[in-house]
Amino acid sequence: MASTPESPCRCNAPVDIPAPIHSPAAELTTSCPSPRRIDLLSETYVVHDRSLVDNPATILSKVETARDQYRRIAVDDVGTRPESLTLLPLIEPDIIVLAPELTCAAPDTTAARALHVLAAQAERTGAVIVASGVDSERHRTRALALGASFGIGALFPPATVDGAGPRDVLISPTWSTPSCHSRSPFDIASTGQPSAVSTKSLLVEMSCQIESQASDAGPDTMVLGTFQHAHQFASPTQRRWQRMAGNVAYTGIYGIDMAGVTVPGIVSSSIDPSDELVEEWNVVVLGQFFCCVLSARDLRWGDSELGRTFEYVVSHDRGTVVRCARAVLSRFDNATHPSTAAP
């Protein structure tokens, strides 16, 4: 959130449970000098967009701990960076705080894209949208156009909080996709639906098709892949995934010795050889308007590389895809972050 007379405290690195943000949010639907004030952000766990990108396993664990403590979850500075939109379905926050640039700047394609994503997330979960940087009547009008219900900024001079509390605004829980106990994407994706058996050759073609759809899904999309071992992420696959990474917000790969694989635009993380994920090949795509998981388990038989046989399942169910993405990201604790230099 923008630093304004009403927002003296901002949490940019919530690796630990942050201190409360003492900024009562003002209701935007009225232009009267004394709009209703609600302390939405006090006692709330605030996640900044870079936190999940840099430390996904840590942040997802802390969000789950905060949920267990019945704390509200807010995502801060949303809208100007694709990563901030990507993490919304993973965290399903109660409160979405818009970046001040969305409120202050004239509408452009970035704002239009953000508006569509925010509208979809609010419709699915009932999250409350708070605009920051509301310093003028023009900003208030823009914030309302972006779907915000409350605002923080210089337009609203210091005032005491009204009697209404967050429970009066947050009508229903936004946490519609709780995590499951399994850490296996295959077990998650195959629950309640039949699997099939195929050779690797078909699965490669299926993966290429999903990668193509991911590239067109929008800049707020996240793509994760688990490849068993680094040598399975060979040059042709690397080239496809590097091209795809240029079109999405976050691309992560996982496998034995994968941390040593450096591809521009791709985050890599190594798997413990004893991890059950060694037996799986997963492609997980999570966007606001397209989501899919292809999950395959190695059956350990076949007379050639392309003849290797897998049991596999495909799901487009959003809740299933979110759980699979969390299961993979929960292992990204010591990831190698990509260079932005040209290859």
Side-chain angles (χ1 to χ4, degrees):
M1 292 175 295
S3 178
T4 70
E6 281 227 0
S7 54
C9 175
R10 175 175 179 166
C11 183
N12 286 321
V15 175
D16 295 312
I17 298 294
I21 298 177
H22 301 292
S23 299
E27 196 168 32
L28 292 174
T29 53
T30 175
S31 59
C32 70
S34 300
R36 183 169 65 143
R37 304 296 185 93
I38 298 180
D39 196 0
L40 288 173
L41 299 175
S42 181
E43 300 299 328
T44 296
Y45 179 52
V46 182
V47 179
H48 193 270
D49 63 342
R50 285 301 313 178
S51 300
L52 186 63
V53 173
D54 293 339
N55 305 287
T58 299
I59 294 303
L60 287 175
S61 175
K62 289 185 177 295
V63 166
E64 193 159 342
T65 298
R67 293 279 186 192
D68 290 341
Q69 297 171 350
Y70 301 100
R71 302 187 69 170
R72 294 179 297 278
I73 308 297
V75 176
D76 187 21
D77 217 20
V78 173
T80 56
R81 292 168 47 85
E83 293 89 341
S84 66
L85 301 172
T86 300
L87 60 82
L88 295 180
L90 282 171
I91 294 179
E92 295 185 313
D94 303 284
I95 301 163
I96 300 171
V97 183
L98 303 184
E101 292 84 353
L102 286 180
T103 305
C104 301
D108 57 12
T109 54
T110 298
R113 180 75 192 181
L115 190 152
H116 284 296
V117 173
L118 292 166
Q121 184 70 20
E123 182 180 14
R124 275 196 295 266
T125 68
V128 171
I129 299 176
V130 178
S132 62
V134 183
D135 298 334
S136 68
E137 184 61 28
R138 176 180 291 181
H139 294 165
R140 186 186 73 85
T141 302
R142 287 177 179 169
L144 285 169
L146 290 167
S149 301
F150 291 86
I152 298 171
L155 180 64
F156 310 110
T160 58
V161 176
D162 292 342
R167 293 181 183 274
D168 299 299
V169 177
L170 304 172
I171 300 172
S172 60
T174 60
W175 189 240
S176 61
T177 314
S179 298
C180 57
H181 295 298
S182 176
R183 298 185 73 231
S184 159
F186 180 83
D187 286 346
I188 295 169
S190 61
T191 298
Q193 66 172 317
S195 59
V197 175
S198 172
T199 59
K200 179 178 177 179
S201 58
L202 174 62
L203 295 179
V204 168
E205 296 301 322
M206 294 175 67
S207 178
C208 288
Q209 177 62 29
I210 293 172
E211 294 161 18
S212 176
Q213 290 180 275
S215 293
D216 296 333
D220 51 273
T221 302
M222 168 179 284
V223 185
L224 305 171
T226 72
F227 294 90
Q228 297 185 284
H229 196 285
H231 69 77
Q232 303 288 354
F233 193 63
S235 295
T237 306
Q238 287 187 22
R239 288 193 293 270
R240 292 200 319 270
W241 277 64
Q242 184 178 342
R243 286 195 299 269
M244 178 178 61
N247 296 320
V248 301
Y250 184 96
T251 306
I253 56 175
Y254 198 71
I256 294 176
D257 295 333
M258 196 67 86
V261 176
T262 304
V263 180
I266 298 179
V267 179
S268 59
S269 185
S270 287
I271 187 175
D272 189 306
S274 64
D275 193 319
E276 61 185 331
L277 209 58
V278 170
E279 302 298 325
E280 296 187 18
W281 172 12
N282 296 285
V283 178
V284 184
V285 180
L286 180 59
Q288 286 289 346
F289 308 109
F290 174 75
C291 60
C292 180
V293 56
L294 166 64
S295 185
R297 178 169 286 167
D298 197 342
L299 296 180
R300 294 293 176 185
W301 54 276
D303 56 6
S304 66
E305 179 63 25
L306 288 177
R308 291 170 59 204
T309 306
F310 291 80
E311 181 183 7
Y312 79 92
V313 63
V314 176
S315 177
H316 293 268
D317 176 74
R318 176 167 291 273
T320 298
V321 176
V322 167
R323 290 184 179 94
C324 289
R326 289 179 188 151
V328 175
L329 286 171
S330 69
R331 295 164 161 96
F332 272 69
D333 230 346
N334 298 301
T336 299
H337 290 270
S339 167
T340 56

